[in-house]
Amino acid sequence: MSIPIFKPVTHVIFGLDGTLLDTERIHRKMFTRIVNGYGKVFPDDLRLQVLGKQEMDTANYIIKTLQLNLTHEELLQKFRDEEKKLLKNARLMYGVEDLLEHFHRQKIPMAVATSSSEESFRLKTAHLKDIFSVFHHVVTGSSDPEVINGKPAPDIFKVCASRFPGNPMSSEFLVFDDSPNGVTAALAAGMQVVMIPDPILTVWHNMSSSNATYVLNSFEDFRPEMFSLPPYFVSSSMNRSSFKPVTHVIFDLDGTLLDTERIHKKTFTKIAKDYGKEFPDDLRIQILGKQEMDVAILIIDRLQLNLTPEELLQLARTEEEKELRNVQLMHGVRDLLEYFCRHKIPMAVATSSSEKSYHLKTGHLKNIFSVFHHVVTGSSDPEVKHGKPAPDIFNICASRFPGNPANNKFLVFEDSPNGVTAAVAACMQVVMVPDPMLPKEMTDNATHVLESMEDFCPEMFSLPPRGSSCSCSS
């Protein structure tokens, strides 16, 4: 896989919340708690709109949108009170410390440009003084008199750049940010920008990250040489096998290989509505990866539907049949399958679907699915006694490869917490490409978490590096 090359840079600017510090989920919790006290809900689309904005702009936007009977000063005071309780021990985002050490070692000038106030910045970083000492300066947009307009205006990045010695040009800067407002601001300042999106943005991906110069799932995935910066040393985690070597691969189907989960959600939402019920997100999470009969029983029990499991499944099949006949592959799947095929890595599918459902979903993709050594359909395979999160399906799938490979030689690709639990219980490593709606804490048990199959780095599991793409032939 060739590495894209962008314009050379000499200086780096980082956003703070959601970029350097894992604070966005805390902010969401804080605002949710505050507005709930006024009988309101803090929706995801509103959270998206305020990401990266200055504190006053954020307060005014929330008050106006939710029609809260508060002044912006009152809302900000409530916000600060919550911050003092929750942000004193804010953690660094994954991969940040290694990247900062690398830039510092290579004497790359760095600064922070945050929409927070100076008071808020000091609260969040007081326990991390050694780490933040590597920055040449910090611009706090909500309290700096030179920052007239907040993100998405370019002011904060222009001011930040002007405070480096030597008057470097805007084009020599690389910005790291997590928000659409931050990306827009950096581009307007004439800078390149690497976006590491907040997990919620995967839901709004086309709208929120398409303008970024480059989009990553984690700082761990950043390759400095793409911007003509010194590469990591060999000792860095980016250039070594991070996990145990594997020889075989097993894929889940729904939400992993195929973009079916949104169809399933739409189907069960409609059925529930027809019976005067709602299909809540926590129930959807609970059923992800489970066998069909277990799914039906859980939904009926939770929603108190006057249906048998067989009747619910039949309604679902009737509702979904047309859409599932033309379902598309998930992003990055085709290239990854071609890579495994080219390097003759044995592959199989372990899905909780029935055999009938599997053929319905894959009938138009026979050439692609011909690359798999075998398929285990958990809802109809007599050897699969217990569905995910039990390990049965992965144990059985492994046993059907020739040569009796050990379970610790398998790498599983999954999208659901139930699937991750099952794979780990089978003593396999598991790469999770989570459903966008999943809370971040529900990915903790996975060996490695990616935003897309496109981000998978085979070398981390001692597999051959990606090369030029090639087609698999049956």
Side-chain angles (χ1 to χ4, degrees):
M1 184 171 62
S2 60
I3 299 175
I5 302 297
F6 304 107
K7 295 175 183 177
V9 299
T10 57
H11 293 62
V12 177
I13 299 174
F14 289 88
L16 182 70
D17 293 296
T19 304
L20 291 173
L21 294 180
D22 185 14
T23 50
E24 291 297 1
R25 61 185 177 82
I26 302 175
H27 287 152
R28 181 187 186 190
K29 180 180 179 181
M30 290 160 56
F31 279 124
T32 297
R33 183 184 296 176
I34 292 168
V35 303
N36 284 353
Y38 291 84
K40 304 289 185 177
V41 175
F42 187 61
D44 284 341
D45 61 332
L46 176 55
R47 181 185 171 207
L48 176 69
Q49 294 298 323
V50 301
L51 280 176
K53 284 184 174 290
Q54 290 184 359
E55 293 174 359
M56 191 68 73
D57 293 338
T58 295
N60 286 332
Y61 198 89
I62 291 174
I63 289 168
K64 181 179 178 181
T65 303
L66 300 184
Q67 298 185 335
L68 296 178
N69 188 23
L70 287 169
T71 65
H72 60 256
E73 291 90 351
E74 291 171 333
L75 179 56
L76 284 176
Q77 186 57 54
K78 290 180 180 293
F79 184 63
R80 292 188 188 102
D81 292 342
E82 291 286 337
E83 271 193 332
K84 288 175 183 176
K85 291 185 285 186
L86 298 174
L87 289 178
K88 287 185 177 180
N89 297 299
R91 295 180 300 177
L92 293 171
M93 295 293 286
Y94 187 65
V96 162
E97 192 165 4
D98 286 345
L99 185 59
L100 294 183
E101 286 179 358
H102 172 70
F103 284 151
H104 184 57
R105 189 167 52 239
Q106 297 295 329
K107 299 181 179 179
I108 307 299
M110 297 180 283
V112 175
T114 172
S115 296
S116 298
S117 64
E118 185 174 359
E119 178 186 2
S120 178
F121 171 80
R122 294 190 186 283
L123 173 68
K124 297 169 190 171
T125 63
H127 61 298
L128 299 167
K129 285 183 178 178
D130 287 347
I131 289 172
F132 277 82
S133 68
V134 303
F135 294 105
H136 183 269
H137 59 271
V138 176
V139 178
T140 52
S142 289
S143 54
D144 192 303
E146 288 189 50
V147 182
I148 308 301
N149 303 294
K151 302 172 185 177
D155 301 31
I156 193 167
F157 291 118
K158 288 184 175 180
V159 170
C160 191
S162 72
R163 294 179 183 172
F164 281 101
N167 196 28
M169 298 173 58
S170 292
S171 61
E172 295 178 283
F173 283 88
L174 180 63
V175 172
F176 289 88
D177 209 288
D178 74 310
S179 72
N181 288 319
V183 169
T184 301
L187 293 173
M191 301 174 182
Q192 295 178 92
V193 55
V194 171
M195 188 183 195
I196 299 139
D198 186 280
I200 184 182
L201 297 185
T202 55
V203 179
W204 309 84
H205 187 270
N206 291 334
M207 181 177 83
S208 62
S209 62
S210 57
N211 291 331
T213 309
Y214 195 52
V215 181
L216 298 175
N217 186 50
S218 163
F219 278 108
E220 187 185 43
D221 301 326
F222 179 65
R223 300 188 182 186
E225 58 268 35
M226 295 166 66
F227 294 88
S228 301
L229 293 168
Y232 274 94
F233 292 123
V234 175
S235 60
S236 167
S237 61
M238 189 169 296
N239 290 302
R240 64 171 184 249
S241 298
S242 303
F243 306 109
K244 296 175 183 175
V246 299
T247 57
H248 292 64
V249 176
I250 298 174
F251 288 90
D252 173 49
L253 183 69
D254 294 295
T256 303
L257 291 173
L258 295 180
D259 186 17
T260 50
E261 292 298 356
R262 62 182 180 80
I263 300 173
H264 294 325
K265 179 184 178 182
K266 178 181 174 183
T267 295
F268 287 123
T269 298
K270 182 180 185 303
I271 293 172
K273 186 176 181 181
D274 290 343
Y275 284 82
K277 307 286 185 177
E278 291 185 359
F279 183 61
D281 284 342
D282 66 319
L283 178 56
R284 182 186 169 207
I285 292 173
Q286 190 178 359
I287 65 174
L288 283 174
K290 285 189 172 289
Q291 291 182 358
E292 293 173 0
M293 189 60 69
D294 292 338
V295 167
I297 291 171
L298 279 168
I299 292 175
I300 290 168
D301 181 62
R302 172 73 178 275
L303 302 185
Q304 296 292 294
L305 299 178
N306 188 23
L307 290 168
T308 66
E310 292 80 8
E311 289 171 337
L312 177 57
L313 289 175
Q314 186 54 51
L315 286 173
R317 290 187 192 106
T318 301
E319 189 69 34
E320 292 180 341
E321 186 169 358
K322 184 176 179 180
E323 286 194 74
L324 289 179
R325 288 187 185 278
N326 296 294
V327 68
Q328 299 299 305
L329 293 170
M330 296 293 287
H331 185 64
V333 163
R334 187 186 296 266
D335 287 344
L336 186 57
L337 294 183
E338 287 179 347
Y339 157 79
F340 283 136
C341 184
R342 179 187 181 205
H343 291 283
K344 299 181 180 178
I345 309 296
M347 296 180 285
V349 174
T351 172
S352 296
S353 299
S354 64
E355 186 174 4
K356 180 178 180 181
S357 177
Y358 170 81
H359 286 300
L360 172 66
K361 298 168 188 172
T362 64
H364 61 299
L365 299 167
K366 285 182 178 178
N367 287 340
I368 289 172
F369 279 81
S370 68
V371 303
F372 294 104
H373 183 269
H374 57 273
V375 176
V376 179
T377 51
S379 289
S380 55
D381 193 303
E383 289 190 51
V384 182
K385 304 298 183 185
H386 305 98
K388 302 172 186 176
D392 301 32
I393 194 168
F394 292 118
N395 286 331
I396 289 164
C397 191
S399 71
R400 293 181 183 173
F401 281 100
N404 195 29
N407 278 19
N408 63 9
K409 294 296 184 183
F410 283 87
L411 181 63
V412 173
F413 286 86
E414 264 283 356
D415 73 309
S416 74
N418 287 318
V420 169
T421 301
V424 171
C427 299
M428 300 176 181
Q429 295 178 94
V430 54
V431 170
M432 189 180 195
V433 187
D435 186 282
M437 68 171 287
L438 278 184
K440 187 175 180 180
E441 58 268 22
M442 296 191 77
T443 68
D444 288 347
N445 290 331
T447 310
H448 192 46
V449 181
L450 300 175
E451 182 182 0
S452 163
M453 296 283 192
E454 191 178 41
D455 300 327
F456 178 65
C457 182
E459 301 97 309
M460 298 177 74
F461 295 89
S462 299
L463 293 168
R466 293 212 202 203
S468 58
S469 62
C470 77
S471 299
C472 294
S473 56
S474 55

